[in-house]
Amino acid sequence: MHIPQKIAGFALLAPLLLVTACSGSSGGDTAGASKGPGATTPAALPARTALERTALVPGDVPGFTVTAGDAAGAAADATAADKRACQPLADLLSGRPPAGAKETVPRVLAPAGQKMPGAGVTVTLSAYGGGGAQKAVTALRTAVHACAAGFKPVIGGVTGVPVAVAPRPALKLGDDDLRFALGFAAGGSGARQDFVVIRTGSTVSIFRGADVTLAKSYDVPPAVVTAQLKKLGAPVTKRR
């Protein structure tokens, strides 16, 4: 049995649907604070741990709203892959970081003033112990190469539409990084999600750019990557 294409595509975009729904659409509010009940303001974003203090907050990326993501929801939302080698990529579709993270802090960003639903970026910071961060990046790199022919996500025991996997040129930032795209046939648009993975020391940052309407692809904006690296105290110049 197969999920209808449009439904399957939106199911895989669930974390980002939450992003844009919570981001607000006030045209002049580039700081990211909504005006209604439960609005997210800089003071509302937790900063109890060292990792939380390095996460993006409203005002860090001009022209983008910034809100806290839902780490608990991502942990509970399981997407399996029909090929075991592709499970690390299926985990990303659920909003989960690579296995072994000791702490995870998600942020969600959307262009200020855009009509909803629209495009956005999730930024997930994960802290690892020992050589866990290196292993996490290696696992993703291995999965991208092993799953070049694509895979099918399985949600609640139901098989979704095929996901295409395409390596993209790395940005050569941080201590190690890779970039790849996951493409969907849902709606016939061929829209893809852009993933940028950067390791800085024992922290892995995963940037995910997508348009939730599935009408077009959306790349992770360079300004978002630069702002996050600065918060981590990492160089923003390319490695040689």
Side-chain angles (χ1 to χ4, degrees):
M1 181 171 66
H2 292 269
I3 301 174
Q5 287 188 343
K6 183 68 78 173
I7 296 175
F10 274 100
L12 293 173
L13 286 169
L16 197 55
L17 283 170
L18 177 64
V19 171
T20 54
C22 294
S23 295
S25 58
S26 173
D29 187 7
T30 59
S34 302
K35 305 303 181 184
T40 301
T41 65
L45 293 179
R48 297 169 298 235
T49 68
L51 189 64
E52 287 177 339
R53 288 190 288 273
T54 62
L56 295 173
V57 298
D60 281 344
V61 189
F64 284 83
T65 61
V66 181
T67 58
D70 182 8
D77 181 22
T79 298
D82 66 335
K83 302 174 183 177
R84 185 173 182 179
C86 305
Q87 188 56 48
L89 302 179
D91 287 339
L92 292 188
L93 292 176
S94 295
R96 295 179 173 185
K102 295 190 173 218
E103 182 184 0
T104 296
V105 178
R107 290 286 186 264
V108 293
L109 295 86
Q114 76 169 345
K115 294 182 179 179
M116 300 301 175
V121 182
T122 60
V123 182
T124 304
L125 302 182
S126 296
Y128 292 81
Q134 292 93 323
K135 291 179 181 178
V137 175
T138 298
L140 286 174
R141 183 176 284 115
T142 300
V144 169
H145 289 292
C147 302
F151 67 96
K152 291 181 180 179
V154 182
I155 307 168
V158 181
T159 302
V161 297
V163 176
V165 181
R168 303 189 70 191
L171 299 180
K172 296 190 179 298
L173 295 171
D175 297 314
D176 190 12
D177 71 310
L178 71 152
R179 188 175 194 174
F180 56 92
L182 299 183
F184 303 88
S189 67
R192 60 169 169 72
Q193 295 187 19
D194 182 34
F195 286 84
V196 174
V197 180
I198 302 176
R199 179 181 69 82
T200 51
S202 59
T203 300
V204 175
S205 304
I206 298 178
F207 304 81
R208 175 185 186 179
D211 187 301
V212 301
T213 66
L214 302 181
K216 60 183 179 180
S217 301
Y218 183 76
D219 284 349
V220 174
V224 175
V225 176
T226 298
Q228 183 57 78
L229 288 177
K230 287 181 177 179
K231 289 292 292 273
L232 288 166
V236 296
T237 54
K238 292 186 176 184
R239 300 188 311 272
R240 292 186 178 181

